[in-house]
Amino acid sequence: MYVPISARGRVKELLQNWPEKDVSLYRGDRWERILGLGDLGVADGHSYRQTSLYTACAGVPPQYCLPVMLDVGTNNRDLLDDPLYLGLRQERVRATNITRS
């Protein structure tokens, strides 16, 4: 499931759109320091690979897994300049940049 920073305050509503209602494993990522590779924006499918591993190696049925891609932007200039990049085209939002409401 793709969740952009612009959905802040509506995440519960978005999660309720997932067709499987009996999810017991959520795997979320904000795509910054995956395996020491740096800021990958949303270009990497790490959450999907992780949930596949949970299924293949730990026997967790796939219908109980929900990979969540949190898109908070990227500071990777190559991605921001790439016309095929699918993520938000904005500087990465850090926790210190978010105001509480």
Side-chain angles (χ1 to χ4, degrees):
M1 176 171 282
Y2 173 80
V3 179
I5 188 74
S6 58
R8 185 171 174 254
R10 298 185 10 245
V11 174
K12 182 177 180 181
E13 174 188 342
L14 291 177
L15 291 174
Q16 289 173 341
N17 289 319
W18 192 254
E20 180 60 51
K21 300 304 178 197
D22 192 19
V23 173
S24 54
L25 190 137
Y26 293 86
R27 172 70 173 116
D29 229 312
R30 58 188 168 86
W31 315 100
E32 188 168 18
R33 289 189 208 103
I34 305 295
L35 303 173
L37 298 175
D39 186 347
L40 300 175
V42 295
D44 179 77
H46 188 70
S47 289
Y48 305 104
R49 287 193 308 274
Q50 287 296 96
T51 54
S52 296
L53 281 174
Y54 299 150
T55 296
C57 298
V60 178
Q63 68 269 25
Y64 298 132
C65 299
L66 174 55
V68 180
M69 177 176 21
L70 303 171
D71 191 350
V72 295
T74 182
N75 291 333
N76 184 322
R77 184 53 44 197
D78 291 336
L79 293 175
L80 290 171
D81 293 339
D82 183 347
L84 299 177
Y85 178 60
L86 298 175
L88 292 174
R89 295 182 182 280
Q90 68 179 43
E91 293 288 316
R92 178 174 287 278
V93 176
R94 304 257 181 227
T96 57
N97 303 102
I98 298 174
T99 57
R100 305 220 181 246
S101 54

